[in-house]
Structure formats: structure tokens, C-alpha cells
């Protein structure tokens, strides 16, 4: 990511308001490439706008049995940092004193140890570092169950979360809660995990591939000397893969191989032209190299995903993970691959909060400890949003402050146990 320092600086400016806000429930997903952070802040100062829109600020609102709840209005924040620059994440947490806002329940230990839910391999790898630098004890949440919990939550609770993307057209898909399962969740992070989801917390990791986002970024960096992932994506946007890929037409003298369903423009062999062209890497445009690479990786993921969907008779495949990055060409290629291999039977769907599934899942696991009902209520609030006279689903959409692909926040209400 170009100038992460700058990004953090910008964040600091944006997050200055946090000092006045009450932060609660910080969760982390520390992956092979990126650290994803989710936390909730309830603003102490209620804007007129919020009041007009009927957002309840704070106060005892519900009682259920003997339990009293407070409803907090605020924001769910989404941030990411490069795992290789973990010190920036630690500095951010420290400067905002976020470590104090992990587990806020009665069982939270006294003293200078703070418990924060964390998932991803880094929750294991960096647990000593977080303890040493921030006094944080990372409470590890299983990566696959976090991904599934995050995806299920988003698909049920957030309007305009899932969409198809084909030929430049983005179509939001309305998910019927009763008809959500089963589906295949394909998380394209550094590597790729494919999970068959059958219900809430009912899932099985059915496949995976090491050819994922890390492969695209790693190979792309070596081949193009790009300095950032976004630069590589931008290059790919301007490239032409036909310069390097060997097409069916290149092999069949300009025609396709219609008998087996291959048109002349189908890629027969990714990077195949480089074999016979007698050129050095420098002779190729970096744009074209990046484009071939992106198509190769995206096609491969689309194909493996489809084959797994076929294995289990799944019609819907949701793609998440930061590799997707909301990038049109990536989504288009994956969609075409799924469409091509399934003869139009299966559909590729993408998620607006693609990269934050694991972090959201870890965030929601606070609920399980009985410390708060934050996740449950968040869900309820959002599902009831459409019925609420003062908080429509559009309101939720329009309150996405910045592009969640990078860093941003959404307004929401949560319920916490007193
Ligand atoms: N700013 C970025 N820096 C590095 N990789 C990025 C960036 N944005 C998107 N990516 C892509 O996202 C992948 C990581 O996705 P992510 O879902 O965060 O996985 P992980 O949990 O393994 O870190 C990278 O391998 C890369 O392909
Ligand atoms: C090991 C992982 C679950 C780690 O998750 P990540 O940090 O890549 O998001 C993932 O990289 C993966 O599923 N890799 C593919 C391994 C395989 O099935 O071949």
C-alpha cells in the first residue's frame, strides 16, 4: 500500500474525534498480508442530524429477564494496516488508547492487561508482541468460524452487501434470510480458503489453494517492480493480456476449437506466448504482465471455486478477502470464470465489506462470552432497520462514511448489557 504512514496520518486526523467518543469492543484479524481492525465507538456528542433521524443515543432501553441493556448509537470503524508494518497498527492502538476497549465485561481482568478478540494466524504469531507493547492479551478466535460469522452477519444484516458484477454492471442482490444456506464462501486473502456454509456456525472448509492474493502481489511485485498493490492493480487495468497469454486462436490459426466449446479468444495458456517470443521481461509492458497475472490468478480461483460448488451442488459462491478489492476487472474475470465453467448455472457474488469478514466475526464473538449483546443487537438493529420509521435501510447505506475497501465506518446501534 503506497505511503501507509500517510494513510495513518490521515486516519489520525479523521479519528481525532475519537477522544470524545466512547470506544468499545476492538477486534483484530491479523492475516498473512494485512491486519484488519474493527471497533465500535459511541459518540458522546449527538449530532442534530442523528437526533432528527431518530438515533437513540444512550439510555436504558430494553429489559430481558433480569438483564438491563443500554442502546448505544455510534459507529463501527473498519481499518487496515500491512502486517509487515505491524508497528503502525500498534502505534495507532496505543495513540488512541484502544487497548482499553477490548473486553469490557465484568470478567475483564483488573490491572494493565486488556483482552482483545483476535483471529488470523497473526493472533498466534504476534501474541507476545501485543502483550509486550500494549499489555493486550489476544483472545484467539478461530479464523474459519470468524470468516463464516462475519459473512453470515453481513448477508443477513446489511442491506446492499452482496452484488454480482458482470460486463461492468454491478447488481445488488437481495438475500432472503430463509434461503441463504447453503453457499460457498471463498476467502481470497494471501491464500484462498473455500468454505461450505450450511447455517449459523455450521460450516466445513472444503478446499483451498495457495495461489491467491499473496501470489498475485508477490509475483506482480517481482515482475513489474511495482511499489504498491494498488499500483499493480492500476497497471493491470491498462494492460492487454493477449500480448503474453497464448490464446486458443494462436494455436488454432486464428479460429476457435468450437467442438469443445473454446472460442479463439479463450486463454489456452497463461503467459504461454513468452515461451516462443524470444523476449526478455523488460521487452514486455508492465501493464500487460500485470493484466495476464491478474487474469491467471482470478480465473484459477474462479475455476476452483466453481468445481467446489459443483462438488456440493452449491449455486451461490460468495467471494471475500482483500484480493478482490472491489476491483472491476478482478470481479469481472472471476464472474466470467464461474459463468464459463458452470455454463451459467452458478453465480459469483461479491461482498461490500469483502476484507473484513474475519475481523467482524471476531468482533461478534464478544457476544459469546456473555459480556455484551453487542453483536446480536447489532444484527437485530440492522434487520429491523427496514421496519424502523426513523432509520431506513437507505440510512444505513448512506451512512457509510468512507470507502470501506480501505478504512471507513458505518453508523449503527448496538445494545450492551449494563
Ligand atoms: N494495500 C494492500 N497491501 C497488500 N495487499 C493488499 C492490499 N490491498 C489488497 N491486497 C491484497 O489482499 C491480499 C490480502 O488479503 P486479506 O484478506 O487481508 O488476507 P490476509 O488475511 O492473508 O492478510 C493480499 O495478498 C493482496 O493480494
Ligand atoms: C492458511 C490460510 C488459512 C491463512 O489465511 P490468510 O492469512 O491467507 O487469509 C490461507 O492462506 C489458506 O487457506 N491457504 C491455502 C492453503 C491450502 O489449502 O492449500
Amino acid at each position: 500500500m503506497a505511503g501507509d504512514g500517510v494513510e495513518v496520518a490521515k486516519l489520525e486526523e479523521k479519528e481525532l474525534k475519537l477522544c470524545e467518543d466512547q470506544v468499545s469492543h476492538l477486534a483484530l484479524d491479523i492475516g498473512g498480508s494485512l491486519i484488519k481492525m474493527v471497533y465500535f465507538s459511541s459518540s458522546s456528542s449527538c449530532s442534530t442530524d442523528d437526533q432528527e433521524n431518530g438515533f437513540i443515543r444512550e439510555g436504558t432501553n430494553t429489559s430481558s429477564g433480569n438483564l438491563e441493556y443500554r442502546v448505544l448509537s455510534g459507529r463501527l470503524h473498519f481499518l487496515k494496516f500491512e502486517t509487515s508494518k505491524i508497528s503502525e497498527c500498534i502505534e495507532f492502538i496505543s495513540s488512541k488508547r484502544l487497548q482499553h476497549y477490548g473486553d469490557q465485561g465484568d470478567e475483564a481482568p483488573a490491572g494493565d492487561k486488556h483482552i482483545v478478540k483476535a483471529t488470523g494466524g497473526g493472533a498466534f504469531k504476534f501474541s507476545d508482541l501485543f502483550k509486550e507493547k500494549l499489555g493486550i492479551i489476544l483472545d484467539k478466535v478461530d479464523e474459519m468460524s470468524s470468516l463464516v460469522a462475519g459473512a453470515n452477519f453481513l448477508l443477513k444484516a446489511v442491506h446492499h452487501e452482496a452484488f454480482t458484477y458482470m460486463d461492468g454492471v454491478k447488481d445488488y442482490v437481495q438475500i432472503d434470510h430463509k434461503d441463504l444456506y447453503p453457499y460457498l464462501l471463498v476467502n481470497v486473502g494471501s491464500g484462498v480458503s473455500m468454505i461450505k456454509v450450511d447455517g449459523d456456525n455450521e460450516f466445513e472448509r472444503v478446499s483451498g489453494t495457495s495461489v491467491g492474493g499473496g501470489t498475485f502481489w508477490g509475483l506482480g511485485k517481482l515482475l513489474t517492480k511495482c511499489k504498491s498493490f494498488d499500483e499493480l492493480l492500476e497497471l493491470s487495468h491498462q494492460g492487454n493480456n493477449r500480448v503474453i497469454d497464448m490464446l486458443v486462436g494462436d494455436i488454432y490459426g486464428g479460429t476457435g476449437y468450437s467442438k469443445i466449446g473454446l472460442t479463439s479468444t479463450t486463454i489456452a495458456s497463461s503467459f504461454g506466448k513468452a515461451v516462443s517470443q524470444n523476449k526478455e521481461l523488460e521487452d514486455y509492458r508492465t501493464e500487460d504482465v500485470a493484466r495476464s497475472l491478474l487474469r491467471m490468478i482470478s480465473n484459477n480461483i474462479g475455476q476452483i471455486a466453481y468445481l467446489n460448488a459443483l462438488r456440493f451442488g452449491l449455486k451461490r459462491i460468495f467471494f471475500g478477502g482483500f484480493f478482490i478489492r472491489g476491483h472491476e476487472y478482478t470481479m469481472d474475470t472471476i464472474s466470467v470464470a464461474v459463468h464459463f465453467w458452470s455454463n451459467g448455472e452458478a453465480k459469483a457474488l461479491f461482498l461490500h465489506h469483502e476484507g473484513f469478514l474475519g475481523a467482524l466475526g471476531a468482533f461478534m464473538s464478544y457476544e459469546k462470552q456473555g459480556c455484551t449483546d453487542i453483536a446480536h443487537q447489532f444484527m437485530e438493529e440492522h434487520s429491523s432497520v427496514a421496519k424502523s420509521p426513523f432509520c431506513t435501510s437507505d440510512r444505513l447505506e448512506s451512512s457509510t462514511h468512507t470507502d470501506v475497501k480501505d478504512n471507513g465506518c458505518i453508523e449503527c446501534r448496538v445494545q450492551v448489557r449494563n
Side-chain angles (χ1 to χ4, degrees):
M1 179 164 47
D4 235 26
V6 177
E7 200 157 308
V8 171
K10 269 195 250 147
L11 271 176
E12 285 182 352
E13 219 171 276
K14 244 190 271 165
E15 302 296 319
L16 271 180
K17 227 183 119 282
L18 258 181
C19 318
E20 305 145 29
D21 293 352
Q22 194 192 338
V23 176
S24 62
H25 299 87
L26 163 70
L28 298 166
D29 173 4
I30 311 175
S33 305
L34 299 170
I35 301 172
K36 283 71 63 178
M37 181 190 291
V38 173
Y39 64 88
F40 177 76
S41 73
S42 61
S43 159
S44 49
S45 56
C46 177
S47 76
T48 344
D49 178 47
D50 280 352
Q51 278 167 340
E52 277 168 7
N53 282 290
F55 272 71
I56 302 163
R57 274 290 136 184
E58 203 170 318
T60 305
N61 176 265
T62 323
S63 67
S64 160
N66 291 328
L67 298 171
E68 291 286 316
Y69 294 96
R70 276 182 310 146
V71 173
L72 305 176
S73 289
R75 287 172 180 178
L76 198 59
H77 299 252
F78 300 87
L79 287 90
K80 73 167 164 50
F81 303 83
E82 284 181 35
T83 308
S84 60
K85 296 177 187 161
I86 194 162
S87 56
E88 289 183 1
C89 171
I90 286 176
E91 265 166 46
F92 182 79
I93 293 175
S94 170
S95 66
K96 303 297 165 212
R97 298 171 53 78
L98 293 180
Q99 70 268 37
H100 298 281
Y101 307 106
D103 187 341
Q104 300 259 294
D106 295 341
E107 290 148 37
D112 57 355
K113 292 276 181 282
H114 309 285
I115 295 179
V116 168
K117 296 281 185 190
T119 188
F124 293 82
K125 185 174 172 182
F126 298 112
S127 74
D128 288 348
L129 186 70
F130 274 82
K131 203 189 286 178
E132 183 198 319
K133 300 277 183 202
L134 297 164
I136 283 179
I137 292 171
L138 296 180
D139 186 9
K140 298 167 194 69
V141 190
D142 177 71
E143 183 173 348
M144 297 300 126
S145 57
S146 296
L147 289 170
V148 171
N152 282 345
F153 159 66
L154 288 167
L155 289 168
K156 287 180 188 171
V158 181
H159 194 64
H160 282 179
E161 178 61 31
F163 58 91
T164 56
Y165 195 94
M166 189 81 110
D167 300 327
V169 180
K170 183 179 191 172
D171 269 328
Y172 280 100
V173 174
Q174 209 48 50
I175 304 289
D176 177 355
H177 293 193
K178 291 187 204 97
D179 190 29
L180 173 59
Y181 309 113
Y183 68 84
L184 187 72
L185 176 62
V186 179
N187 191 64
V188 193
S190 308
V192 187
S193 279
M194 304 199 182
I195 310 165
K196 178 165 84 80
V197 184
D198 291 305
D200 285 338
N201 211 23
E202 248 184 84
F203 64 88
E204 184 190 352
R205 182 184 187 274
V206 292
S207 194
T209 165
S210 62
V211 181
T215 321
F216 173 63
W217 181 203
L219 269 179
K221 201 171 185 176
L222 291 175
L223 293 173
T224 68
K225 308 269 186 285
C226 262
K227 293 280 175 278
S228 77
F229 182 84
D230 288 346
E231 198 184 327
L232 183 61
L233 272 189
E234 186 50 40
L235 277 182
S236 76
H237 198 66
Q238 291 154 23
N240 177 4
N241 69 295
R242 294 178 189 193
V243 176
I244 303 173
D245 290 345
M246 190 184 277
L247 308 185
V248 171
D250 295 325
I251 302 172
Y252 273 77
T255 65
Y257 185 176
S258 54
K259 203 173 159 191
I260 58 166
L262 300 176
T263 65
S264 64
T265 54
T266 305
I267 299 172
S269 168
S270 292
F271 285 86
K273 267 192 189 139
V275 175
S276 53
Q277 279 177 331
N278 230 355
K279 286 184 184 174
E280 297 300 318
L281 179 59
E282 299 70 47
D283 300 327
Y284 292 101
R285 289 188 337 133
T286 49
E287 289 87 342
D288 300 336
V289 173
R291 182 80 158 209
S292 286
L293 189 58
L294 184 61
R295 273 203 84 162
M296 182 178 86
I297 307 270
S298 304
N299 264 328
N300 196 53
I301 292 169
Q303 181 176 11
I304 298 174
Y306 163 66
L307 290 173
N308 277 288
L310 185 69
R311 247 176 101 194
F312 299 102
L314 308 171
K315 295 273 181 261
R316 280 191 298 208
I317 311 175
F318 291 98
F319 289 87
F322 256 118
F323 166 72
I324 310 284
R325 202 94 172 77
H327 190 253
E328 295 166 20
Y329 190 66
T330 307
M331 296 192 292
D332 213 66
T333 307
I334 290 176
S335 298
V336 169
V338 169
H339 186 83
F340 176 84
W341 289 105
S342 71
N343 282 326
E345 287 274 297
K347 255 208 169 82
L349 293 118
F350 303 93
L351 299 169
H352 187 58
H353 295 84
E354 54 188 15
F356 289 98
L357 307 185
L360 268 171
F363 179 88
M364 295 175 71
S365 71
Y366 277 111
E367 175 189 35
K368 294 196 183 114
Q369 288 199 333
C371 300
T372 76
D373 240 355
I374 194 162
H376 187 224
Q377 181 59 20
F378 184 79
M379 199 126 122
E380 284 188 345
E381 286 299 325
H382 279 78
S383 351
S384 62
V385 140
K387 288 173 241 142
S388 161
F390 40 69
C391 183
T392 66
S393 48
D394 285 336
R395 165 77 192 168
L396 177 65
E397 264 305 293
S398 62
S399 56
T400 300
H401 286 264
T402 58
D403 197 341
V404 134
K405 282 199 293 294
D406 288 311
N407 301 301
C409 56
I410 53 177
E411 288 190 4
C412 62
R413 285 183 290 177
V414 299
Q415 179 171 286
V416 293
R417 228 172 260 175
N418 279 328

